[in-house]
Each structure stands twice: as C-alpha cells, then as structure tokens.
C-alpha cells in the first residue's frame, strides 16, 4: 500500500474483524458462556479469554510482519489461529485429571492463569512458525 496511514487503517480493521471472528470460534467450543461469566466477575474466565485475545492478536502481528499483503496476513493468521485452537483442545485432552472448562467456569484461578499463559506462550511459537 502506497499510503502508510491507509495501510495502518486497513490492517487495524482487518485485525479487529479477525479477532472478533476467531474469538467467536473459541466462544462456541467452550462449555461456559464467557462474556456472561466475565460480567459476573469470574476472573478465571477473564484471564483465559484475555490470553486468547492476546494470542490471536500476537499471531496476527507476526503474520503482518512476515507477509506483503493483507490477504496473505489474514490467511496465515487463520492458519495460526487453527493451531492455537488445536492447542486449546490438546490442553483439555492432556489434563485428564481436570476438566479445564469446568474448572475455569468454577473460577479456579490457577487453571485460568495457566490457560492464559499457555495461549500467550504458544502464540509466540505459532507466530514465529507462520512467518
């Protein structure tokens, strides 16, 4: 894009849209109503959701840096999101002693913090891989 301000606005707009779409997928696969739980003050859900938001945005950031067009950035961020979503399911599967979604819904802050750290940490690995 020739004009930097146009590029900034375009990437920002597409990034917000991608965040909304990708986050809605996470909302559909969790067993709890995330925004309702946050409204009630469930800090565990807020931490887990915040980690997902950061993870999605961080992957999109890496994708913007590595690609020449918005289309390529969106495509690679979608690939990265699918990996982050797979990691979410893997986290649930690899912790058979806990039902992660149930613990987060019960405001188990240790599990909420761990979910947040996993999303944030993996977003760096995924972001570096989609570059």
């Amino acid at each position: 894009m020739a004009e930097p301000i146009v590029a900034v606005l375009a990437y920002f707009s597409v990034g917000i849209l991608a965040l909304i779409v990708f986050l809605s997928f996470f909302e559909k696969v969790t067993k709890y109503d995330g925004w309702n739980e946050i409204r009630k003050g469930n800090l565990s859900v807020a931490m887990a959701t915040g980690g997902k938001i950061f993870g999605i945005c961080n992957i999109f950031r890496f994708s913007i840096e590595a690609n020449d067009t918005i289309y390529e950035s969106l495509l690679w961020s979608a690939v990265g999101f699918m990996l982050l979503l797979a990691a979410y399911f893997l986290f649930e599967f690899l912790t058979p002693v806990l039902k992660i979604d149930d613990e987060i819904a019960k405001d188990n802050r240790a599990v909420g913090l761990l979910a947040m750290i996993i999303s944030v940490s993996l977003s760096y690995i995924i972001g570096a891989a989609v570059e």
Side-chain angles (χ1 to χ4, degrees):
M1 289 187 195
E3 295 294 322
I5 191 70
V6 173
V8 168
L9 292 175
Y11 279 107
F12 178 76
S13 300
V14 171
I16 294 295
L17 181 62
L19 174 62
I20 291 168
V21 170
F22 296 157
L23 193 58
S24 71
F25 278 103
F26 269 123
E27 289 297 311
K28 292 200 182 305
V29 299
T30 56
K31 295 178 183 174
Y32 51 84
D33 180 354
W35 297 109
N36 188 44
E37 288 295 321
I38 291 170
R39 189 177 304 109
K40 291 191 297 187
N42 186 325
L43 185 59
S44 298
V45 173
M47 287 188 293
T49 302
K52 292 170 188 169
I53 290 169
F54 182 92
I56 291 166
C57 290
N58 194 38
I59 290 168
F60 197 66
R61 176 191 71 89
F62 275 100
S63 184
I64 290 169
E65 288 178 347
N67 294 287
D68 294 330
T69 67
I70 291 178
Y71 175 75
E72 288 174 338
S73 296
L74 190 56
L75 178 67
W76 281 107
S77 66
V79 170
F81 168 72
M82 296 307 289
L83 291 171
L84 193 63
L85 188 63
Y88 168 80
F89 288 119
L90 193 60
F91 178 41
E92 181 81 42
F93 178 74
L94 291 177
T95 53
V97 296
L98 295 173
K99 294 290 185 198
I100 301 302
D101 277 354
D102 293 343
E103 293 299 317
I104 291 173
K106 290 190 286 188
D107 203 12
N108 182 334
R109 293 176 185 176
V111 176
L113 178 64
L114 185 59
M116 179 182 76
I117 296 298
I118 287 172
S119 292
V120 168
S121 300
L122 288 178
S123 75
Y124 281 97
I125 295 169
I126 293 166
V130 300
E131 270 195 294

